[in-house]
């Protein structure tokens, strides 16, 4: 089925409370998507953001981000009082997401909701705990970390860091109330998410979610499952993730995430991964697997290195892993994020898996050189993107082109000016043979550098903080997108 969608994370939605949430604005955006003739709403990972405010650095692979819980819905449920919410100075933190501010005010409100709702929803919370066993380790992890002033688990007492027999149960008894709070927050998130997803489905729209390939070291996943990672006897990484030096970076990229012990994971059929995918399948209709090429082989950097230069390629689980997914989830729809330097082995894995790969138009235009990202080279089984959250916005990219590249883009698209190139690129994606075309919301809005979602390799307040102004999501724009979508039978 030919289809189209729009990429915009929930945090970028308009709302009165400094960050997009799962409330009214999310439903209004779903209505915008329906009017625009879109079938998919693609979002970024919805986990609790960590280092650099990145949704790809979450303290749990399964937990939802408390910042995305809608406060107005909590007022409607009588878990918060309107005056409690209005008393906070949201207005001075509204233009972009201020994560430090969100962290300073959100949990105080959620604790009030917990005080009012823990007993009221006791039975529902008990059901939630039974259906989501991951939440126990998550809640204990956060409760211990809070009791130790936010300290990373690598600095916890040895018996707790290494989870000696009986120690976990002892801490769980002492910190039971704090654990109950964090479980209650996840219960609220789960309830609001499934209500939103049901509404989105009622409009004929499906959600594409994102599954980061790696998890951060300071996460409950690593603490609770150290045997599944490349750690030493003291629980510290022996090798970390990254990517090798290339044209863009002479030192490569040192991500620092602990690497998986794939041999150990293979012994139980990748149980941890299958549970993780099962959890994601409860949330999303389609799942994008981040850094898919790392499943064929991954760049392993010795722990302690300051750059990724001295890493090496190590064989990953390859076809054995994708076969396990197929056995456990025969109906699951997945997307392979297969960007970057692709060897014949990676291409073979993607094709054999059957997962559609990604084609990014901003990567396509190298003057008069062949490129697999140019639309005339596509096969049907792929997803065409104008750009991703890691790219420049389309407007920013076009403005940065040198004269030769700009002339080539215009010639390829059959347009006369740079201004015409913007919608020419979007038309080329829509017209392509790719089964699905997805554009960032920023690209339909013709926004520039100020609206870029993330600049890889950098950490700063601008990353992950862009928010759309609700006045931008007009009926006229939705109708324009809808005409383009109908024209190319999506």
């Amino acid at each position: 089925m030919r289809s189209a969608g729009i990429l915009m994370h929930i945090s970028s939605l308009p709302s009165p409370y400094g960050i997009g949430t799962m409330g009214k604005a999310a439903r209004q955006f779903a209505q915008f998507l329906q009017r625009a003739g879109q079938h998919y709403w693609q979002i970024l990972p919805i986990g609790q953001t960590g280092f650099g405010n990145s949704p790809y650095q979450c303290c749990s692979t399964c937990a939802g981000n408390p910042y995305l819980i809608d406060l107005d819905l909590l007022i409607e449920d009588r878990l918060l009082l309107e005056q409690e919410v209005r008393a906070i100075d949201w207005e001075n933190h509204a233009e972009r997401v201020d994560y430090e501010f969100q962290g300073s005010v959100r949990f105080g409100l959620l604790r009030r909701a917990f005080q009012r709702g823990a007993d009221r929803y006791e039975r529902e919370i008990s059901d939630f705990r039974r259906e989501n066993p991951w939440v126990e380790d998550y809640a204990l992890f956060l409760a211990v970390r809070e009791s130790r002033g936010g300290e990373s688990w690598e600095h916890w007492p040895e018996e707790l860091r290494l989870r000696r027999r009986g120690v976990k149960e002892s801490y769980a008894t002492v910190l039971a109330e704090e654990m109950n709070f964090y479980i209650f927050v996840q219960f609220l998130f789960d309830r609001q998410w499934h209500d939103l997803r049901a509404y989105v489905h009622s409009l004929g729209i499906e959600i594409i979610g994102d599954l980061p390939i790696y998890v951060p070291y300071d996460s409950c996943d690593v603490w609770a499952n150290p045997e599944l990672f490349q750690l030493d006897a003291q629980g510290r990484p022996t090798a970390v993730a990254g990517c090798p030096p290339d044209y863009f970076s002479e030192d490569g990229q040192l991500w620092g995430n602990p690497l998986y012990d794939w041999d150990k994971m293979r012994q139980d059929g990748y149980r941890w991964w299958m549970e993780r995918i099962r959890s994601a399948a409860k949330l999303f209709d389609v799942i994008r697997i981040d850094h898919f090429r790392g499943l064929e082989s991954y760049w392993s950097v010795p722990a302690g290195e300051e750059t990724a230069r001295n890493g090496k390629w190590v064989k990953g689980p390859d076809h054995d892993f994708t076969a396990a997914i197929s056995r456990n989830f025969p109906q699951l729809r997945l997307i392979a994020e297969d960007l970057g330097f692709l060897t014949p082995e990676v291409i073979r894995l993607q094709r054999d898996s059957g997962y559609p790969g990604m084609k990014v138009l901003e990567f396509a235009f190298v003057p008069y050189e062949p490129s697999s990202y140019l639309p005339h080279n596509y096969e049907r089984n792929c997803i065409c993107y104008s750009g991703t959250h890691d790219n420049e916005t389309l407007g920013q990219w076009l403005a940065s082109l040198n004269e030769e590249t700009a002339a080539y883009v215009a010639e390829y698209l059959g347009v006369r000016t740079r201004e015409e190139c913007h919608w020419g690129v979007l038309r080329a994606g829509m017209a392509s043979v790719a089964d699905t075309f997805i554009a960032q919301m920023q690209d339909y809005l013709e926004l520039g550098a100020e609206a870029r979602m993330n600049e890889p390799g950098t950490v700063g307040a601008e990353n992950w903080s862009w928010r759309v102004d609700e006045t931008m999501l007009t009926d006229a724009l939705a109708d324009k997108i809808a005409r383009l979508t109908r024209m190319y039978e999506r």
Side-chain angles (χ1 to χ4, degrees), residues 160-345:
L160 181 60
R161 188 177 75 244
L162 302 181
R163 297 167 66 93
R164 304 291 191 203
R165 184 184 299 274
V167 173
K168 173 184 167 182
E169 291 76 13
S170 176
Y171 273 83
T173 299
V174 173
L175 298 172
E177 187 68 5
E178 279 302 297
M179 287 183 63
N180 287 338
F181 165 68
Y182 287 115
I183 291 170
F184 177 77
V185 170
Q186 289 305 306
F187 163 73
L188 291 180
F189 182 95
D190 185 77
R191 192 167 63 138
Q192 288 196 5
W193 174 262
H194 284 96
D195 285 348
L196 173 61
R197 186 183 179 196
Y199 180 79
V200 169
H201 283 177
S202 75
L203 300 180
I205 297 165
E206 295 186 295
I207 297 174
I208 301 176
D210 206 321
L211 196 66
I213 187 171
Y214 292 122
V215 299
Y217 177 66
D218 190 23
S219 66
C220 67
D221 298 286
V222 180
W223 173 66
N225 305 278
E227 72 282 0
L228 301 180
F229 296 85
Q230 297 182 29
L231 309 179
D232 63 21
Q234 294 301 310
R236 295 183 173 87
T238 58
V240 297
C243 63
D246 57 20
Y247 175 81
F248 299 100
S249 173
E250 62 180 16
D251 289 327
Q253 294 182 36
L254 185 63
W255 300 334
N257 304 79
L259 293 167
Y260 299 113
D261 185 337
W262 286 112
D263 289 336
K264 181 69 174 179
M265 287 185 158
R266 187 178 292 112
Q267 293 174 14
D268 64 3
Y270 309 99
R271 177 189 55 80
W272 179 85
W273 264 99
M274 296 305 111
E275 290 177 356
R276 184 184 181 195
I277 293 173
R278 184 173 291 106
S279 179
K282 293 179 182 178
L283 303 173
F284 312 123
D285 302 297
V286 184
I287 299 171
R288 189 193 87 132
I289 300 181
D290 180 52
H291 194 57
F292 182 82
R293 73 104 51 241
L295 298 176
E296 188 279 322
S297 57
Y298 57 90
W299 190 248
S300 174
V301 183
E305 292 286 331
E306 295 184 359
T307 74
R309 275 183 173 275
N310 295 325
K312 63 180 181 179
W313 287 110
V314 178
K315 188 67 177 177
D318 206 35
H319 287 72
D320 191 58
F321 182 75
T322 55
I325 296 176
S326 296
R327 286 194 304 272
N328 285 276
F329 309 100
Q331 303 301 318
L332 185 62
R333 289 174 288 164
L334 296 137
I335 297 171
E337 190 272 282
D338 57 347
L339 306 177
F341 178 69
L342 303 182
T343 63
E345 292 80 8

Side-chain angles (χ1 to χ4, degrees), residues 354-365:
Y355 310 156
M358 293 176 57
K359 304 294 184 182
V360 178
L361 290 169
E362 287 187 15
F363 295 159
F365 298 97

Side-chain angles (χ1 to χ4, degrees), residues 103-208:
S104 70
V105 299
R106 284 271 171 172
F107 285 100
L109 292 171
L110 291 172
R111 287 185 186 279
R112 294 184 181 184
F114 170 62
Q115 292 164 4
R116 295 185 178 111
D119 292 339
R120 189 198 309 177
Y121 295 112
E122 182 177 5
R123 186 177 65 181
E124 292 93 333
I125 294 170
S126 178
D127 292 341
F128 174 75
R129 295 177 79 147
R130 185 178 61 257
E131 295 166 5
N132 298 275
W134 57 264
V135 80
E136 306 298 331
D137 274 327
Y138 161 80
L140 179 58
F141 177 82
L142 289 189
V144 173
R145 191 166 70 175
E146 182 179 2
S147 74
R148 300 187 62 83
E151 186 179 53
S152 170
W153 73 267
E154 67 178 313
H155 301 301
W156 292 356
E158 181 176 292
E159 70 274 8
L160 181 60
R161 188 177 75 244
L162 302 181
R163 297 167 66 93
R164 304 291 191 203
R165 184 184 299 274
V167 173
K168 173 184 167 182
E169 291 76 13
S170 176
Y171 273 83
T173 299
V174 173
L175 298 172
E177 187 68 5
E178 279 302 297
M179 287 183 63
N180 287 338
F181 165 68
Y182 287 115
I183 291 170
F184 177 77
V185 170
Q186 289 305 306
F187 163 73
L188 291 180
F189 182 95
D190 185 77
R191 192 167 63 138
Q192 288 196 5
W193 174 262
H194 284 96
D195 285 348
L196 173 61
R197 186 183 179 196
Y199 180 79
V200 169
H201 283 177
S202 75
L203 300 180
I205 297 165
E206 295 186 295
I207 297 174
I208 301 176

Side-chain angles (χ1 to χ4, degrees), residues 356-425:
M358 293 176 57
K359 304 294 184 182
V360 178
L361 290 169
E362 287 187 15
F363 295 159
F365 298 97
V366 179
Y368 310 105
E369 291 188 12
S371 169
S372 63
Y373 293 117
L374 285 169
H376 68 265
N377 286 323
Y378 294 173
E379 298 176 350
R380 282 186 57 188
N381 188 36
C382 70
I383 316 291
C384 175
Y385 289 83
S386 57
T388 75
H389 61 276
D390 283 335
N391 291 111
E392 297 171 308
T393 65
L394 187 55
Q396 180 186 12
W397 175 74
L398 287 168
S400 71
L401 298 180
N402 60 41
E403 289 300 320
E404 182 185 17
T405 305
Y408 174 56
V409 173
E411 182 179 8
Y412 184 91
L413 298 175
V415 299
R416 292 168 297 176
T417 66
R418 287 198 185 207
E419 289 71 25
E420 292 176 335
C421 280
H422 194 110
W423 281 88
V425 170

Side-chain angles (χ1 to χ4, degrees), residues 422-486:
H422 194 110
W423 281 88
V425 170
L426 296 172
R427 281 198 305 275
M430 279 283 189
S432 74
V433 71
D435 280 336
T436 304
F437 172 66
I438 292 176
Q440 290 194 93
M441 191 67 244
Q442 296 97 310
D443 295 345
Y444 281 126
L445 292 169
E446 302 183 53
L447 298 177
E450 77 285 354
R452 182 170 184 168
M453 192 61 171
N454 179 53
E455 185 172 352
T458 68
V459 177
E462 296 300 304
N463 286 345
W464 317 111
S465 65
W466 175 73
R467 300 187 68 207
V468 67
D469 187 313
E470 62 182 340
T471 62
M472 296 177 176
L473 301 176
T474 63
D475 289 346
L477 177 60
D479 292 342
K480 183 176 182 178
I481 298 170
R483 287 195 298 275
L484 197 64
T485 305
R486 286 194 299 270

